[in-house]
Amino acid sequence: MTPTFTALVKQGLQTIGHYRRALARTTLPGVAVLCYHGVRDDDMAPGTVPFQYLHIPAPTFESHCRVIRQCCDPISLDDWRAAIDGRATLPERPVLITFDDGYRSVLTMAAPILQQYHLPATVFVCTWPMGSRRMLWFDHIGARDGENAVEGWKSRDYGEWCGRCSDTPRVDEGDPRALMTPDELRTLANIEGIEIGGHTSRHPILSRASAAQQRDEIEQNIQLIQEWTGKPVRSFAYPNGRPGFDYNAVSTGILRGAGIDIAFTTHPDFARRDEPPLERSRFLLLDETSDAELAHRLAYSWPR
Ligand SMILES: [Zn+2]
């Protein structure tokens, strides 16, 4: 794709170090929590997989990591917890990297880059397709019926959705949409700086489910992650994650009872000090976001 004039200007500003200097003078209004999904080879042809925009090319992800390391203050969830508890203070430009869903590429492609730049990250995973070696439901329906069909299913009742969408085919292990195996999740969890959090068993829209169904989705997910990794689960990301639509007070109550101390939505904002701890905002990052664009958003265009 030919870059737009604005994109070229931003790339020029990035090249001459403008954003680095601008960010050095900036205090962010909260934690910039970045929400990624998968990482892909740079040469994947457009339209190879549905929702390809959620899988960022590895070189782009590396360029993001360079911006975060050079221009911001990367933090882990534990750093943040220490600040919330008053045991530490947050740096001026705190950035937390997160990944949703549990794609294998987070282990094989993102983790080496994170380690290269010494960046902590939190990875929220769906356990049912991991354990049963199935596709995530939206990847399956998206490939079979198109991406728009997935949107339609998000407003259906949990029972109907579960019967028609959640029993997905076995995944081809070489497919970029394959999730990690339980063993691979343990490997990822053992990398220093990586925390594994919950994302439900099957990735339903929680607000469409009864309290009992929500409880099963959340508690089975947490229990399996703990079993597979041998570590406690203390963080969570709501599937789809829009406040007021995709989860409700029942969901939040179940998380609190399950020992979750921080949970994330997809409301695009800095995670500010006055936000409820179980409804923290995040910025979604897509495959076309360049390093210059990320730096521009951090320095100027994300809401102050
Ligand atoms: Zn998700």
Side-chain angles (χ1 to χ4, degrees):
M1 204 182 74
T2 315
T4 62
F5 176 71
T6 318
L8 287 171
V9 170
K10 288 173 182 169
Q11 207 61 56
L13 290 171
Q14 168 73 351
T15 305
I16 62 168
H18 169 79
Y19 292 119
R20 190 174 179 167
R21 290 190 296 276
L23 278 162
R25 297 189 297 266
T26 299
T27 300
L28 298 179
V31 180
V33 186
L34 310 183
C35 173
Y36 296 92
H37 287 75
V39 178
R40 62 174 161 91
D41 286 326
D42 197 25
D43 58 2
M44 186 188 279
T48 303
V49 294
F51 306 109
Q52 192 159 318
Y53 55 83
L54 293 176
H55 301 260
I56 188 170
T60 309
F61 182 66
E62 181 176 354
S63 72
H64 285 199
C65 287
R66 202 176 307 122
V67 166
I68 295 163
R69 171 49 69 201
Q70 292 181 346
C71 309
C72 301
D73 304 306
I75 62 164
S76 68
L77 264 187
D78 275 340
D79 294 332
W80 197 351
R81 290 184 181 106
I84 290 168
D85 295 348
R87 291 178 280 120
T89 48
L90 279 178
E92 289 184 339
R93 291 168 291 280
V95 174
L96 173 69
I97 297 173
T98 70
F99 290 89
D100 282 10
D101 299 339
Y103 290 107
R104 173 176 282 142
S105 59
V106 175
L107 174 67
T108 58
M109 301 177 85
I113 298 171
L114 291 169
Q115 287 178 292
Q116 183 188 340
Y117 289 92
H118 303 286
L119 296 176
T122 303
V123 184
F124 302 104
V125 304
C126 289
T127 38
W128 185 84
M130 283 183 154
S132 60
R133 305 316 298 149
R134 308 294 184 102
M135 314 243 311
L136 275 161
W137 76 269
F138 51 84
D139 280 335
H140 168 59
I141 300 288
R144 194 188 68 186
D145 303 334
E147 292 179 2
N148 287 341
V150 170
E151 283 311 306
W153 280 106
K154 287 180 182 174
S155 54
R156 307 281 186 88
D157 175 70
Y158 177 88
E160 191 190 358
W161 166 82
C162 205
R164 299 275 305 280
C165 293
S166 76
D167 196 16
T168 52
R170 288 189 75 83
V171 71
D172 168 359
E173 295 293 347
D175 193 300
R177 294 164 292 175
L179 302 191
M180 283 174 272
T181 64
D183 277 350
E184 288 170 330
L185 186 68
R186 186 182 317 116
T187 303
L188 184 68
N190 283 331
I191 295 175
E192 196 186 335
I194 302 282
E195 175 170 331
I196 308 297
H199 197 43
T200 72
S201 280
R202 295 172 184 251
H203 210 284
I205 302 300
L206 286 168
S207 58
R208 305 288 164 193
S210 70
Q213 289 163 336
Q214 290 199 47
R215 187 175 298 283
D216 282 351
E217 282 282 348
I218 292 169
E219 292 182 351
Q220 287 175 15
N221 177 235
I222 291 172
Q223 194 187 333
L224 270 181
I225 297 170
Q226 291 182 160
E227 211 172 279
W228 292 345
T229 65
K231 299 183 178 194
V233 172
R234 300 175 61 197
S235 54
F236 184 89
Y238 302 97
N240 224 45
R242 294 168 307 164
F245 293 98
D246 297 327
Y247 63 92
N248 53 30
V250 173
S251 332
T252 312
I254 295 167
L255 293 180
R256 196 173 290 111
I260 299 296
D261 63 6
I262 188 157
F264 294 92
T265 72
T266 53
H267 175 66
D269 197 354
F270 290 96
R272 295 165 198 264
R273 187 188 285 268
D274 56 357
E275 270 183 353
L278 297 184
E279 293 188 86
R280 295 285 189 186
S281 299
R282 289 190 294 176
F283 296 112
L284 180 63
L285 273 301
L286 303 181
D287 64 341
E288 284 181 353
T289 311
S290 69
D291 57 335
E293 179 61 34
L294 173 64
H296 182 86
R297 291 178 190 179
L298 283 162
Y300 300 115
S301 65
W302 274 335
R304 300 297 152 164

mmCIF file of all heavy atoms in Angstrom, residues 216-253:
data_model
loop_
_atom_site.group_PDB
_atom_site.id
_atom_site.type_symbol
_atom_site.label_atom_id
_atom_site.label_comp_id
_atom_site.label_asym_id
_atom_site.label_seq_id
_atom_site.Cartn_x
_atom_site.Cartn_y
_atom_site.Cartn_z
ATOM 1 N N ASP A 216 -19.001 -20.315 34.710
ATOM 2 C CA ASP A 216 -18.289 -21.455 34.098
ATOM 3 C C ASP A 216 -17.187 -20.962 33.169
ATOM 4 O O ASP A 216 -16.062 -21.461 33.203
ATOM 5 C CB ASP A 216 -19.265 -22.325 33.285
ATOM 6 C CG ASP A 216 -20.092 -23.218 34.185
ATOM 7 O OD1 ASP A 216 -19.787 -23.276 35.402
ATOM 8 O OD2 ASP A 216 -21.049 -23.850 33.688
ATOM 9 N N GLU A 217 -17.528 -20.028 32.301
ATOM 10 C CA GLU A 217 -16.562 -19.514 31.317
ATOM 11 C C GLU A 217 -15.329 -18.904 32.002
ATOM 12 O O GLU A 217 -14.198 -19.088 31.540
ATOM 13 C CB GLU A 217 -17.223 -18.448 30.425
ATOM 14 C CG GLU A 217 -18.117 -19.003 29.343
ATOM 15 C CD GLU A 217 -17.319 -19.553 28.163
ATOM 16 O OE1 GLU A 217 -16.102 -19.300 28.099
ATOM 17 O OE2 GLU A 217 -17.930 -20.248 27.325
ATOM 18 N N ILE A 218 -15.566 -18.173 33.084
ATOM 19 C CA ILE A 218 -14.467 -17.458 33.749
ATOM 20 C C ILE A 218 -13.676 -18.392 34.674
ATOM 21 O O ILE A 218 -12.450 -18.454 34.620
ATOM 22 C CB ILE A 218 -15.018 -16.245 34.528
ATOM 23 C CG1 ILE A 218 -15.556 -15.187 33.549
ATOM 24 C CG2 ILE A 218 -13.964 -15.655 35.452
ATOM 25 C CD1 ILE A 218 -16.368 -14.072 34.194
ATOM 26 N N GLU A 219 -14.406 -19.163 35.497
ATOM 27 C CA GLU A 219 -13.703 -19.957 36.507
ATOM 28 C C GLU A 219 -12.951 -21.144 35.896
ATOM 29 O O GLU A 219 -11.845 -21.476 36.324
ATOM 30 C CB GLU A 219 -14.686 -20.417 37.588
ATOM 31 C CG GLU A 219 -15.174 -19.228 38.409
ATOM 32 C CD GLU A 219 -16.112 -19.592 39.544
ATOM 33 O OE1 GLU A 219 -16.546 -20.770 39.620
ATOM 34 O OE2 GLU A 219 -16.428 -18.697 40.338
ATOM 35 N N GLN A 220 -13.553 -21.802 34.881
ATOM 36 C CA GLN A 220 -12.837 -22.922 34.238
ATOM 37 C C GLN A 220 -11.574 -22.422 33.556
ATOM 38 O O GLN A 220 -10.535 -23.089 33.549
ATOM 39 C CB GLN A 220 -13.740 -23.615 33.223
ATOM 40 C CG GLN A 220 -14.829 -24.452 33.878
ATOM 41 C CD GLN A 220 -15.797 -25.044 32.847
ATOM 42 O OE1 GLN A 220 -15.513 -25.066 31.667
ATOM 43 N NE2 GLN A 220 -16.941 -25.506 33.326
ATOM 44 N N ASN A 221 -11.662 -21.262 32.957
ATOM 45 C CA ASN A 221 -10.517 -20.639 32.299
ATOM 46 C C ASN A 221 -9.381 -20.393 33.300
ATOM 47 O O ASN A 221 -8.235 -20.819 33.080
ATOM 48 C CB ASN A 221 -10.996 -19.330 31.662
ATOM 49 C CG ASN A 221 -9.919 -18.503 30.982
ATOM 50 O OD1 ASN A 221 -9.741 -17.340 31.298
ATOM 51 N ND2 ASN A 221 -9.194 -19.073 30.041
ATOM 52 N N ILE A 222 -9.715 -19.771 34.406
ATOM 53 C CA ILE A 222 -8.697 -19.448 35.411
ATOM 54 C C ILE A 222 -8.072 -20.731 35.978
ATOM 55 O O ILE A 222 -6.850 -20.852 36.107
ATOM 56 C CB ILE A 222 -9.327 -18.590 36.537
ATOM 57 C CG1 ILE A 222 -9.676 -17.198 35.980
ATOM 58 C CG2 ILE A 222 -8.406 -18.497 37.746
ATOM 59 C CD1 ILE A 222 -10.471 -16.327 36.942
ATOM 60 N N GLN A 223 -8.946 -21.703 36.256
ATOM 61 C CA GLN A 223 -8.472 -22.961 36.858
ATOM 62 C C GLN A 223 -7.496 -23.685 35.916
ATOM 63 O O GLN A 223 -6.446 -24.170 36.340
ATOM 64 C CB GLN A 223 -9.688 -23.832 37.144
ATOM 65 C CG GLN A 223 -9.408 -25.003 38.059
ATOM 66 C CD GLN A 223 -10.626 -25.914 38.157
ATOM 67 O OE1 GLN A 223 -11.764 -25.476 37.993
ATOM 68 N NE2 GLN A 223 -10.374 -27.179 38.392
ATOM 69 N N LEU A 224 -7.836 -23.756 34.633
ATOM 70 C CA LEU A 224 -6.962 -24.466 33.683
ATOM 71 C C LEU A 224 -5.627 -23.747 33.488
ATOM 72 O O LEU A 224 -4.581 -24.392 33.411
ATOM 73 C CB LEU A 224 -7.660 -24.627 32.331
ATOM 74 C CG LEU A 224 -8.479 -25.902 32.158
ATOM 75 C CD1 LEU A 224 -9.101 -25.942 30.766
ATOM 76 C CD2 LEU A 224 -7.635 -27.156 32.384
ATOM 77 N N ILE A 225 -5.668 -22.430 33.416
ATOM 78 C CA ILE A 225 -4.398 -21.690 33.262
ATOM 79 C C ILE A 225 -3.498 -21.977 34.464
ATOM 80 O O ILE A 225 -2.298 -22.229 34.322
ATOM 81 C CB ILE A 225 -4.639 -20.168 33.126
ATOM 82 C CG1 ILE A 225 -5.429 -19.845 31.863
ATOM 83 C CG2 ILE A 225 -3.311 -19.415 33.104
ATOM 84 C CD1 ILE A 225 -5.915 -18.401 31.790
ATOM 85 N N GLN A 226 -4.092 -21.965 35.649
ATOM 86 C CA GLN A 226 -3.297 -22.213 36.862
ATOM 87 C C GLN A 226 -2.729 -23.623 36.849
ATOM 88 O O GLN A 226 -1.569 -23.843 37.211
ATOM 89 C CB GLN A 226 -4.148 -21.955 38.107
ATOM 90 C CG GLN A 226 -4.463 -20.476 38.251
ATOM 91 C CD GLN A 226 -5.265 -20.082 39.484
ATOM 92 O OE1 GLN A 226 -5.248 -18.913 39.865
ATOM 93 N NE2 GLN A 226 -5.975 -21.025 40.091
ATOM 94 N N GLU A 227 -3.547 -24.583 36.387
ATOM 95 C CA GLU A 227 -3.101 -25.968 36.302
ATOM 96 C C GLU A 227 -1.945 -26.094 35.290
ATOM 97 O O GLU A 227 -0.949 -26.754 35.548
ATOM 98 C CB GLU A 227 -4.285 -26.802 35.809
ATOM 99 C CG GLU A 227 -4.351 -28.225 36.303
ATOM 100 C CD GLU A 227 -5.690 -28.825 35.879
ATOM 101 O OE1 GLU A 227 -6.705 -28.573 36.553
ATOM 102 O OE2 GLU A 227 -5.691 -29.508 34.845
ATOM 103 N N TRP A 228 -2.106 -25.472 34.150
ATOM 104 C CA TRP A 228 -1.112 -25.615 33.076
ATOM 105 C C TRP A 228 0.180 -24.872 33.366
ATOM 106 O O TRP A 228 1.253 -25.321 32.986
ATOM 107 C CB TRP A 228 -1.697 -25.109 31.746
ATOM 108 C CG TRP A 228 -2.810 -25.957 31.200
ATOM 109 C CD1 TRP A 228 -3.133 -27.225 31.581
ATOM 110 C CD2 TRP A 228 -3.744 -25.593 30.170
ATOM 111 N NE1 TRP A 228 -4.207 -27.679 30.849
ATOM 112 C CE2 TRP A 228 -4.598 -26.707 29.975
ATOM 113 C CE3 TRP A 228 -3.941 -24.458 29.393
ATOM 114 C CZ2 TRP A 228 -5.644 -26.700 29.035
ATOM 115 C CZ3 TRP A 228 -4.968 -24.445 28.459
ATOM 116 C CH2 TRP A 228 -5.810 -25.556 28.286
ATOM 117 N N THR A 229 0.086 -23.702 33.993
ATOM 118 C CA THR A 229 1.289 -22.882 34.194
ATOM 119 C C THR A 229 1.877 -23.044 35.594
ATOM 120 O O THR A 229 3.044 -22.697 35.807
ATOM 121 C CB THR A 229 0.996 -21.374 34.006
ATOM 122 O OG1 THR A 229 0.091 -20.953 35.035
ATOM 123 C CG2 THR A 229 0.387 -21.088 32.634
ATOM 124 N N GLY A 230 1.064 -23.524 36.538
ATOM 125 C CA GLY A 230 1.536 -23.614 37.916
ATOM 126 C C GLY A 230 1.631 -22.256 38.592
ATOM 127 O O GLY A 230 2.278 -22.119 39.626
ATOM 128 N N LYS A 231 0.987 -21.244 38.004
ATOM 129 C CA LYS A 231 1.049 -19.894 38.578
ATOM 130 C C LYS A 231 -0.355 -19.341 38.786
ATOM 131 O O LYS A 231 -1.267 -19.685 38.022
ATOM 132 C CB LYS A 231 1.829 -18.963 37.642
ATOM 133 C CG LYS A 231 3.239 -19.441 37.449
ATOM 134 C CD LYS A 231 4.045 -18.512 36.584
ATOM 135 C CE LYS A 231 5.458 -19.095 36.510
ATOM 136 N NZ LYS A 231 6.430 -18.178 35.986
ATOM 137 N N PRO A 232 -0.529 -18.485 39.784
ATOM 138 C CA PRO A 232 -1.858 -17.908 40.009
ATOM 139 C C PRO A 232 -2.267 -16.960 38.883
ATOM 140 O O PRO A 232 -1.413 -16.338 38.254
ATOM 141 C CB PRO A 232 -1.705 -17.137 41.326
ATOM 142 C CG PRO A 232 -0.246 -16.874 41.458
ATOM 143 C CD PRO A 232 0.469 -17.997 40.751
ATOM 144 N N VAL A 233 -3.568 -16.887 38.625
ATOM 145 C CA VAL A 233 -4.099 -15.956 37.618
ATOM 146 C C VAL A 233 -4.708 -14.778 38.365
ATOM 147 O O VAL A 233 -5.601 -14.951 39.192
ATOM 148 C CB VAL A 233 -5.153 -16.639 36.733
ATOM 149 C CG1 VAL A 233 -5.828 -15.623 35.822
ATOM 150 C CG2 VAL A 233 -4.512 -17.738 35.900
ATOM 151 N N ARG A 234 -4.216 -13.591 38.074
ATOM 152 C CA ARG A 234 -4.689 -12.401 38.795
ATOM 153 C C ARG A 234 -5.210 -11.325 37.860
ATOM 154 O O ARG A 234 -5.665 -10.281 38.310
ATOM 155 C CB ARG A 234 -3.553 -11.844 39.658
ATOM 156 C CG ARG A 234 -3.057 -12.850 40.699
ATOM 157 C CD ARG A 234 -1.857 -12.314 41.442
ATOM 158 N NE ARG A 234 -2.178 -11.100 42.158
ATOM 159 C CZ ARG A 234 -1.273 -10.248 42.629
ATOM 160 N NH1 ARG A 234 0.007 -10.488 42.439
ATOM 161 N NH2 ARG A 234 -1.640 -9.153 43.277
ATOM 162 N N SER A 235 -5.111 -11.552 36.547
ATOM 163 C CA SER A 235 -5.552 -10.529 35.601
ATOM 164 C C SER A 235 -6.447 -11.156 34.539
ATOM 165 O O SER A 235 -6.430 -12.373 34.329
ATOM 166 C CB SER A 235 -4.337 -9.856 34.953
ATOM 167 O OG SER A 235 -3.488 -10.835 34.376
ATOM 168 N N PHE A 236 -7.213 -10.309 33.850
ATOM 169 C CA PHE A 236 -8.240 -10.806 32.928
ATOM 170 C C PHE A 236 -8.506 -9.734 31.876
ATOM 171 O O PHE A 236 -8.377 -8.534 32.146
ATOM 172 C CB PHE A 236 -9.525 -11.075 33.732
ATOM 173 C CG PHE A 236 -10.656 -11.685 32.952
ATOM 174 C CD1 PHE A 236 -10.779 -13.071 32.836
ATOM 175 C CD2 PHE A 236 -11.611 -10.882 32.342
ATOM 176 C CE1 PHE A 236 -11.835 -13.639 32.126
ATOM 177 C CE2 PHE A 236 -12.673 -11.438 31.626
ATOM 178 C CZ PHE A 236 -12.780 -12.824 31.517
ATOM 179 N N ALA A 237 -8.898 -10.170 30.670
ATOM 180 C CA ALA A 237 -9.381 -9.241 29.639
ATOM 181 C C ALA A 237 -10.731 -9.748 29.147
ATOM 182 O O ALA A 237 -10.870 -10.931 28.815
ATOM 183 C CB ALA A 237 -8.391 -9.146 28.490
ATOM 184 N N TYR A 238 -11.739 -8.866 29.109
ATOM 185 C CA TYR A 238 -13.076 -9.234 28.643
ATOM 186 C C TYR A 238 -13.049 -9.484 27.136
ATOM 187 O O TYR A 238 -12.563 -8.607 26.386
ATOM 188 C CB TYR A 238 -14.082 -8.111 28.928
ATOM 189 C CG TYR A 238 -14.193 -7.728 30.372
ATOM 190 C CD1 TYR A 238 -13.485 -6.631 30.884
ATOM 191 C CD2 TYR A 238 -14.997 -8.464 31.236
ATOM 192 C CE1 TYR A 238 -13.572 -6.283 32.221
ATOM 193 C CE2 TYR A 238 -15.084 -8.115 32.589
ATOM 194 C CZ TYR A 238 -14.371 -7.021 33.063
ATOM 195 O OH TYR A 238 -14.448 -6.679 34.391
ATOM 196 N N PRO A 239 -13.589 -10.626 26.655
ATOM 197 C CA PRO A 239 -13.696 -10.822 25.200
ATOM 198 C C PRO A 239 -14.486 -9.674 24.560
ATOM 199 O O PRO A 239 -15.542 -9.284 25.064
ATOM 200 C CB PRO A 239 -14.450 -12.149 25.069
ATOM 201 C CG PRO A 239 -14.158 -12.875 26.338
ATOM 202 C CD PRO A 239 -14.077 -11.798 27.401
ATOM 203 N N ASN A 240 -13.953 -9.139 23.491
ATOM 204 C CA ASN A 240 -14.536 -8.001 22.764
ATOM 205 C C ASN A 240 -14.449 -6.699 23.570
ATOM 206 O O ASN A 240 -14.201 -5.650 23.004
ATOM 207 C CB ASN A 240 -15.960 -8.285 22.302
ATOM 208 C CG ASN A 240 -16.209 -7.839 20.869
ATOM 209 O OD1 ASN A 240 -15.384 -8.081 19.988
ATOM 210 N ND2 ASN A 240 -17.326 -7.174 20.640
ATOM 211 N N GLY A 241 -14.745 -6.780 24.877
ATOM 212 C CA GLY A 241 -14.313 -5.759 25.823
ATOM 213 C C GLY A 241 -14.927 -4.368 25.819
ATOM 214 O O GLY A 241 -14.373 -3.468 26.432
ATOM 215 N N ARG A 242 -16.104 -4.177 25.134
ATOM 216 C CA ARG A 242 -16.669 -2.820 25.142
ATOM 217 C C ARG A 242 -17.512 -2.609 26.398
ATOM 218 O O ARG A 242 -18.484 -3.337 26.615
ATOM 219 C CB ARG A 242 -17.539 -2.595 23.904
ATOM 220 C CG ARG A 242 -16.774 -2.599 22.591
ATOM 221 C CD ARG A 242 -17.734 -2.673 21.431
ATOM 222 N NE ARG A 242 -18.665 -3.800 21.587
ATOM 223 C CZ ARG A 242 -19.797 -3.948 20.902
ATOM 224 N NH1 ARG A 242 -20.175 -3.035 20.026
ATOM 225 N NH2 ARG A 242 -20.556 -5.004 21.104
ATOM 226 N N PRO A 243 -17.165 -1.602 27.214
ATOM 227 C CA PRO A 243 -17.957 -1.339 28.422
ATOM 228 C C PRO A 243 -19.411 -1.060 28.049
ATOM 229 O O PRO A 243 -19.685 -0.361 27.072
ATOM 230 C CB PRO A 243 -17.301 -0.091 29.021
ATOM 231 C CG PRO A 243 -15.939 -0.023 28.415
ATOM 232 C CD PRO A 243 -16.054 -0.656 27.058
ATOM 233 N N GLY A 244 -20.342 -1.606 28.824
ATOM 234 C CA GLY A 244 -21.761 -1.373 28.562
ATOM 235 C C GLY A 244 -22.351 -2.309 27.524
ATOM 236 O O GLY A 244 -23.563 -2.318 27.329
ATOM 237 N N PHE A 245 -21.539 -3.090 26.821
ATOM 238 C CA PHE A 245 -22.037 -3.995 25.783
ATOM 239 C C PHE A 245 -21.604 -5.444 25.987
ATOM 240 O O PHE A 245 -22.424 -6.352 25.922
ATOM 241 C CB PHE A 245 -21.547 -3.544 24.392
ATOM 242 C CG PHE A 245 -22.119 -2.239 23.952
ATOM 243 C CD1 PHE A 245 -21.391 -1.074 24.105
ATOM 244 C CD2 PHE A 245 -23.391 -2.166 23.390
ATOM 245 C CE1 PHE A 245 -21.920 0.147 23.709
ATOM 246 C CE2 PHE A 245 -23.921 -0.955 22.999
ATOM 247 C CZ PHE A 245 -23.184 0.207 23.151
ATOM 248 N N ASP A 246 -20.323 -5.658 26.197
ATOM 249 C CA ASP A 246 -19.777 -7.017 26.096
ATOM 250 C C ASP A 246 -19.609 -7.730 27.436
ATOM 251 O O ASP A 246 -19.313 -8.917 27.459
ATOM 252 C CB ASP A 246 -18.434 -6.975 25.355
ATOM 253 C CG ASP A 246 -18.594 -6.490 23.917
ATOM 254 O OD1 ASP A 246 -19.646 -6.773 23.323
ATOM 255 O OD2 ASP A 246 -17.676 -5.810 23.406
ATOM 256 N N TYR A 247 -19.770 -7.014 28.538
ATOM 257 C CA TYR A 247 -19.719 -7.634 29.864
ATOM 258 C C TYR A 247 -20.603 -6.786 30.758
ATOM 259 O O TYR A 247 -21.088 -5.724 30.336
ATOM 260 C CB TYR A 247 -18.274 -7.686 30.397
ATOM 261 C CG TYR A 247 -17.657 -6.323 30.591
ATOM 262 C CD1 TYR A 247 -17.746 -5.662 31.815
ATOM 263 C CD2 TYR A 247 -17.029 -5.663 29.534
ATOM 264 C CE1 TYR A 247 -17.209 -4.392 31.983
ATOM 265 C CE2 TYR A 247 -16.492 -4.394 29.690
ATOM 266 C CZ TYR A 247 -16.586 -3.766 30.916
ATOM 267 O OH TYR A 247 -16.065 -2.505 31.085
ATOM 268 N N ASN A 248 -20.865 -7.248 31.977
ATOM 269 C CA ASN A 248 -21.742 -6.491 32.872
ATOM 270 C C ASN A 248 -21.267 -6.628 34.325
ATOM 271 O O ASN A 248 -20.196 -7.199 34.583
ATOM 272 C CB ASN A 248 -23.197 -6.935 32.685
ATOM 273 C CG ASN A 248 -23.343 -8.458 32.829
ATOM 274 O OD1 ASN A 248 -22.576 -9.089 33.565
ATOM 275 N ND2 ASN A 248 -24.315 -9.028 32.131
ATOM 276 N N ALA A 249 -22.092 -6.131 35.238
ATOM 277 C CA ALA A 249 -21.695 -6.133 36.652
ATOM 278 C C ALA A 249 -21.551 -7.561 37.181
ATOM 279 O O ALA A 249 -20.754 -7.814 38.092
ATOM 280 C CB ALA A 249 -22.721 -5.352 37.480
ATOM 281 N N VAL A 250 -22.305 -8.488 36.596
ATOM 282 C CA VAL A 250 -22.175 -9.894 37.008
ATOM 283 C C VAL A 250 -20.762 -10.390 36.689
ATOM 284 O O VAL A 250 -20.099 -11.025 37.522
ATOM 285 C CB VAL A 250 -23.233 -10.776 36.292
ATOM 286 C CG1 VAL A 250 -23.001 -12.256 36.574
ATOM 287 C CG2 VAL A 250 -24.636 -10.360 36.705
ATOM 288 N N SER A 251 -20.296 -10.085 35.471
ATOM 289 C CA SER A 251 -18.947 -10.506 35.060
ATOM 290 C C SER A 251 -17.900 -9.965 36.046
ATOM 291 O O SER A 251 -17.023 -10.707 36.514
ATOM 292 C CB SER A 251 -18.599 -9.982 33.664
ATOM 293 O OG SER A 251 -19.724 -9.783 32.849
ATOM 294 N N THR A 252 -18.004 -8.688 36.320
ATOM 295 C CA THR A 252 -17.028 -8.041 37.197
ATOM 296 C C THR A 252 -17.050 -8.664 38.595
ATOM 297 O O THR A 252 -15.997 -8.894 39.202
ATOM 298 C CB THR A 252 -17.334 -6.536 37.273
ATOM 299 O OG1 THR A 252 -17.524 -6.062 35.933
ATOM 300 C CG2 THR A 252 -16.215 -5.753 37.887
ATOM 301 N N GLY A 253 -18.263 -8.984 39.080
ATOM 302 C CA GLY A 253 -18.401 -9.604 40.402
ATOM 303 C C GLY A 253 -17.752 -10.984 40.447
ATOM 304 O O GLY A 253 -17.091 -11.339 41.437
#
